[in-house]
Amino acid sequence: SRSGITEAYDPVGNSDAARFADYYKKVTKAVIDPSMKEAPLTSMRSMFYGGTNPETWAMQSLRNMTAIEGLENLNTENVTDMNGMFTMCAKLTTLDLSTFNTSNVTTFNGMFMSCDNLEIIDVSSFDISKATDMEMMFASWPKLTTICCLGDWSTSTAKSGYMFFGNKSLVGGKGTVFDSNVIDATYARPDGGTESPGYFTALKKGDVNQDGEVDIADVVAVLNVMASDAENPSADVNADNAVDIADVVAILNIMAGQ
């Protein structure tokens, strides 16, 4: 019902869409319009993945897309399906999911599979209480080191086969390293060390010093990282791949309840 001209992007099923051929290879950025906040979506299946050409079996992934802007404009409140939503977004380096409402999502199958260049992902805002399928959710991420999440997903009854398959760089918050023999939801929980190993890092956004609180001490921690160039992934509060004064502002906003 929006004004203007709209076209269906269907290079496989629509013979008149020849000019869209190989379009998925040319996309470098996706921008979500604010009007999408009003869209009553129930499925985001393969939203940023073109799927597979049924004639050639070629994977039509957005392999050259480096950024997605406006994810906060997606209305996820009534979404039940996020299957393959970001599959093979191989050049993304950041992904802000803090505004996602997943309380009605049942399938997360392959949601982030093969996001090759993402090193850190924060799913601490996710609600998996209605999940029935989390298979391959984080599979095949060679560079993934950190999954920030406060919840214990290991007790879920959802299918979780190959959930962490191929995550050879993954390390839990207390040092639990990836074990190729444990790739289902068994370790999908905050790392409790040798007594309760997990692949998650239990961080609150902005809790740079990992003391369970977001306060002025975290501002000091960011300033220390800036002064020393020390490695601390949690210091990149706004997830822009840089630790700078913008992260201090982000912490102050969190402290102010924003």
Side-chain angles (χ1 to χ4, degrees):
S1 62
R2 288 175 57 189
S3 60
I5 300 172
T6 61
E7 295 183 75
Y9 167 49
D10 185 5
V12 176
N14 184 352
S15 59
D16 295 328
R19 68 189 185 85
F20 283 121
D22 294 334
Y23 186 66
Y24 55 92
K25 296 179 182 177
K26 302 171 186 176
V27 174
T28 58
K29 180 171 67 174
V31 181
I32 313 300
D33 191 83
S35 63
M36 289 296 288
K37 290 180 179 179
E38 306 303 321
L41 300 178
T42 58
S43 175
M44 292 182 176
R45 175 178 286 250
S46 300
M47 179 172 261
F48 298 100
Y49 173 54
T52 304
N53 187 315
E55 297 178 358
T56 65
W57 291 100
M59 293 183 177
Q60 298 174 162
S61 61
L62 299 179
R63 66 192 69 171
N64 292 312
M65 181 175 66
T66 59
I68 302 175
E69 296 179 2
L71 278 172
E72 69 277 7
N73 293 324
L74 285 178
N75 181 359
T76 61
E77 183 179 2
N78 297 309
V79 173
T80 61
D81 188 350
M82 290 187 175
N83 187 312
M85 186 174 180
F86 300 100
T87 292
M88 296 185 73
C89 289
K91 289 193 176 180
L92 282 182
T93 56
T94 62
L95 199 55
D96 184 358
L97 307 167
S98 59
T99 60
F100 273 33
N101 178 348
T102 65
S103 60
N104 286 305
V105 178
T106 58
T107 177
F108 295 95
N109 188 306
M111 184 175 181
F112 306 107
M113 187 169 67
S114 298
C115 288
D116 292 354
N117 278 293
L118 273 172
E119 297 181 14
I120 301 172
I121 189 164
D122 187 344
V123 291
S124 57
S125 65
F126 277 33
D127 179 347
I128 62 151
S129 59
K130 293 186 180 179
T132 58
D133 188 351
M134 297 190 293
E135 291 190 318
M136 298 184 290
M137 185 174 180
F138 302 101
S140 300
W141 283 26
K143 293 185 179 180
L144 179 65
T145 62
T146 309
I147 300 175
C148 296
C149 187
L150 297 170
D152 184 347
W153 297 6
S154 65
T155 60
S156 172
T157 59
K159 294 185 294 184
S160 63
Y162 294 93
M163 188 176 184
F164 299 102
F165 174 77
N167 298 150
K168 59 184 180 180
S169 300
L170 183 60
V171 180
K174 293 191 176 181
T176 294
V177 297
F178 175 70
D179 183 343
S180 60
N181 294 311
V182 186
I183 55 176
D184 62 4
T186 302
Y187 283 3
R189 60 191 179 194
D191 190 10
T194 55
E195 294 184 1
S196 181
Y199 290 146
F200 291 170
T201 297
L203 295 180
K204 291 181 180 179
K205 198 172 187 67
D207 183 15
V208 181
N209 65 355
Q210 301 181 35
D211 66 353
E213 302 294 335
V214 179
D215 51 29
I216 199 65
D218 297 298
V219 172
V220 174
V222 169
L223 295 175
N224 287 339
V225 171
M226 291 169 59
S228 64
D229 289 326
E231 289 292 329
N232 187 346
S234 60
D236 183 15
V237 181
N238 64 353
D240 66 351
N241 284 331
V243 178
D244 51 30
I245 198 65
D247 297 298
V248 172
V249 173
I251 292 172
L252 294 176
N253 286 338
I254 292 170
M255 290 169 61
Q258 301 175 17

